[in-house]
C-alpha cells in the first residue's frame, strides 16, 4: 500500500497539480489516478483519496485522512467524469509519451466510461440507484467496441527492470521457466468441465519444466495444482489426488501439474487495465438488471468472444477459430438459462476474462459470489478458520506513519482483518 502511494499516486497527483495548461495531460493523469485509487479502495476499504499524493502542495496533506469508501467512490465518479469531459481533440496532444493509447483522445474517453461502468457495477448491491445512473450515462456516452480499445500498458523487452511487464517479471524473475508456477486446480477443472478453448492458452502443459521434449499438451491430461496444500498434506488423507497421483507427486512433483504458458509471459507482453470483454459482460448484466436496453445474449457472446480473442495480443498462436469460439459459447447454454443462471454464467466468464487481472477478478467475485469457490484447508490458514479474504489488511507502516487517521478508519470499518468487509461487499 505504501509503495503505491509513494510512487504511482504521488507521481500522478503531481502531474495533475502542475498541468493546468495542458488539459489532456491533466485529464489522462486524473483518470489514471482514479483508476489506481479505485483498485486501492477495493483492496483495503477506506483509504486516503482527496489529499493523497499532494503533500508538496500543502503541509495539511502530510497525514492524509482516510475517507469512507462510499465517499471515495463518489469522488472517483466525479473526477473521472470531469476528466473525460475535459479531454479535447483540439488541445495539445499527448503524443508518444502516452504508452496506453498513443495520444488517441477518443479512446481515452472510452477508457473513462469503461472505468465508470466498473465503479458503478461494483457498488450495485449497496446503492443501485446511483449505480444504475452512473452506468447508464457512461455506457450511453460510448465505451469499448472491440479489443482495439483495450486499455493496456505497452512494454518493451528492455534492460533489467526497465519498461518491461512487471507481472511477468515477478513470476519468472531471471529464469526463462519457473518450476514453481503452476495453475490452480480450480481454474483447470473449470476449463476442462466447460471445454474452454483457453485451456491450452493458459497451460503450457505438464512435464519437466526444463525439458520441452517432455511437455504433454493434451487438454485431457492437464492437472491443476490443488489449492491450499503443502508438500505433506498433498499426499495426506484430505488430498484430492488419487493414489496414483499421490505416488507421482512423491516421486517428481514438479512434473505432474500444469505449468503456466511461457508464450503469455514475455516481458514485452501488455499489462491489462480494462478490456472490451469486461465492458460487454458488464453490459449483459446491466441489461438483465434493466439498466440499459439490448440483448443480454448478444453482449454475453461478444464478451466471451472478446476475452478469448484478446489472448492474441500475447501471442498470435493463441488465435482460436470462429467455429471453436461459437461452439464454446453455445455450450455454455446462456440463451436457455434463467436470469439467475445467466448472472452466474456472466460472473464465471468475467472471472475467466480477468485471469491476468487478479484484483478485478477477486473484487468481482466478492460482489457476485461467482464462481462459487471453496476456502482452502491450509494448515497455516488465517486464524485457523476457512475463509477467502474479503480485503487486505492495511500495511503495517501505516500504524506508525499515520496512526490517528489509520485508527479512525479501522474504527469506522469495524476492524482491520482479512474478513472485514468493505462498503460495497454485500457478501456471498
Amino acid at each position: 500500500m505504501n509503495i503505491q502511494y509513494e510512487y504511482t499516486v504521488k507521481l500522478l497527483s503531481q502531474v495533475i497539480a502542475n498541468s493546468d495548461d495542458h488539459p489532456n495531460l491533466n485529464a489522462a493523469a486524473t483518470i489514471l489516478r482514479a483508476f489506481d485509487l479505485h483498485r486501492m479502495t477495493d483492496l483495503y476499504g477506506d483509504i486516503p483519496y482527496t489529499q493523497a499524493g499532494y503533500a508538496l502542495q500543502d503541509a495539511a496533506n502530510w497525514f492524509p485522512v482516510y475517507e469512507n469508501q462510499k465517499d471515495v467512490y463518489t469522488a472517483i465518479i466525479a473526477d473521472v467524469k470531469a476528466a473525460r469531459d475535459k479531454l479535447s481533440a483540439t488541445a495539445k496532444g499527448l503524443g508518444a509519451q502516452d504508452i496506453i493509447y498513443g495520444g488517441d483522445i477518443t479512446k481515452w474517453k472510452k477508457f473513462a466510461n469503461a472505468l465508470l461502468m466498473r465503479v458503478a457495477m461494483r457498488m450495485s448491491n449497496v446503492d443501485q440507484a446511483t449505480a444504475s445512473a452512473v452506468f447508464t450515462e457512461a455506457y450511453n456516452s460510448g465505451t469499448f467496441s472491440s479489443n482495439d480499445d483495450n486499455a493496456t500498458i505497452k512494454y518493451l523487452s528492455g534492460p533489467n527492470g526497465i519498461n518491461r511487464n512487471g507481472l511477468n517479471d515477478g513470476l519468472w524473475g531471471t529464469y526463462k521457466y519457473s518450476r514453481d508456477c503452476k495453475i490452480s486446480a480450480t481454474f483447470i477443472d473449470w476449463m476442462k468441465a466447460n471445454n474452454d478453448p483457453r485451456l491450452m492458452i493458459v497451460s503450457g502443459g505438464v512435464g519437466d519444466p526444463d525439458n520441452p521434449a517432455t511437455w504433454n499438451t493434451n487438454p485431457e491430461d492437464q492437472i491443476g495444482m490443488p489449492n491450499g496444500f503443502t508438500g505433506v498434506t498433498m499426499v495426506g488423507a484430505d488430498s484430492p489426488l488419487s493414489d496414483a497421483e499421490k505416488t507421482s507427486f512423491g516421486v517428481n512433483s514438479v512434473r505432474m501439474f500444469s505449468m503456466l504458458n511461457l508464450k503469455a509471459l514475455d516481458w514485452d507482453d501488455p499489462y491489462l487495465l480494462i478490456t472490451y470483454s469486461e465492458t460487454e459482460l458488464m453490459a449483459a448484466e446491466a441489461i438483465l438488471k434493466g439498466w440499459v436496453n439490448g440483448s443480454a445474449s448478444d453482449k454475453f457472446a461478444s464478451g466471451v468472444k472478446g476475452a478469448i480473442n484478446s489472448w492474441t495480443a500475447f501471442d498470435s498462436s493463441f488465435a482460436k477459430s470462429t467455429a471453436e469460439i461459437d461452439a464454446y459459447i453455445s455450450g455454455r447454454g446462456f440463451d436457455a438459462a434463467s436470469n439467475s443462471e445467466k448472472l452466474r454464467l456472466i460472473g464465471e466468464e468475467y472471472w475467466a476474462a480477468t485471469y491476468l487481472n487478479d484484483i478485478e477478478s477477486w473484487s468481482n467475485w466478492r460482489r457476485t459470489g461467482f464462481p462459487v469457490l471453496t476456502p482452502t484447508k491450509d494448515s497455516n490458514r488465517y486464524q485457523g478458520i476457512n475463509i477467502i479474504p474479503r480485503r487486505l489488511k492495511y500495511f503495517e507502516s501505516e500504524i506508525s506513519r499515520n496512526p490517528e487517521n489509520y485508527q479512525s478508519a479501522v474504527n469506522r470499518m469495524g476492524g482491520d482483518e482479512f474478513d472485514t468487509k468493505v462498503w460495497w461487499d454485500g457478501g456471498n
Side-chain angles (χ1 to χ4, degrees), residues 51-91:
Q51 296 177 306
Y54 290 113
L56 294 178
Q57 276 63 49
D58 192 328
N61 299 331
W62 287 3
F63 302 98
V65 173
Y66 281 62
E67 296 171 61
N68 184 298
Q69 187 179 58
K70 181 178 182 180
D71 295 334
V72 172
Y73 262 61
T74 299
I76 288 172
I77 292 167
D79 283 352
V80 175
K81 282 187 175 181
R84 177 198 63 190
D85 296 341
K86 182 183 293 186
L87 288 164
S88 172
T90 60

Side-chain angles (χ1 to χ4, degrees), residues 80-241:
V80 175
K81 282 187 175 181
R84 177 198 63 190
D85 296 341
K86 182 183 293 186
L87 288 164
S88 172
T90 60
K92 184 178 180 180
L94 296 172
Q97 67 181 337
D98 176 7
I99 60 173
I100 297 177
Y101 287 127
D104 191 324
I105 297 303
T106 298
K107 289 188 176 182
W108 271 101
K109 290 183 178 182
K110 291 182 177 182
F111 178 17
N113 286 325
L115 177 56
L116 288 169
M117 290 165 61
R118 177 186 280 181
V119 171
M121 195 59 76
R122 191 86 82 241
M123 63 191 292
S124 61
N125 290 337
V126 291
D127 189 351
Q128 185 169 154
T130 301
S132 174
V134 171
F135 188 99
T136 301
E137 190 275 339
Y139 180 75
N140 289 336
S141 293
T143 188
F144 299 160
S145 57
S146 74
N147 281 329
D148 289 339
D149 293 328
N150 288 348
T152 64
I153 296 176
K154 314 301 189 298
Y155 288 99
L156 302 174
S157 54
N160 184 39
I162 300 175
N163 196 28
R164 69 186 193 191
N165 194 320
L167 174 63
N168 305 349
D169 197 28
L171 285 171
W172 303 122
T174 58
Y175 299 98
K176 191 60 177 172
Y177 220 103
S178 172
R179 64 181 64 245
D180 294 326
C181 292
K182 305 298 180 182
I183 305 169
S184 163
T186 302
F187 196 31
I188 288 286
D189 292 347
W190 181 84
M191 288 190 287
K192 291 176 72 173
N194 292 294
N195 296 313
D196 195 317
R198 286 167 288 199
L199 176 57
M200 298 317 300
I201 291 177
V202 175
S203 174
V206 292
D208 183 349
D210 298 319
N211 184 3
T214 70
W215 297 355
N216 179 350
T217 57
N218 183 350
E220 295 181 359
D221 294 333
Q222 300 310 300
I223 303 175
M225 178 176 280
N227 302 84
F229 287 86
T230 66
V232 174
T233 60
M234 190 71 83
V235 294
D238 291 331
S239 172
L241 301 180

Side-chain angles (χ1 to χ4, degrees), residues 122 350-352 354-366 370-371:
R122 191 86 82 241
Y350 197 96
W351 174 69
T354 53
Y355 174 69
L356 293 178
N357 192 346
D358 49 6
I359 296 175
E360 182 60 20
S361 181
W362 177 44
S363 295
N364 201 59
W365 171 80
R366 285 181 285 158
F370 299 122

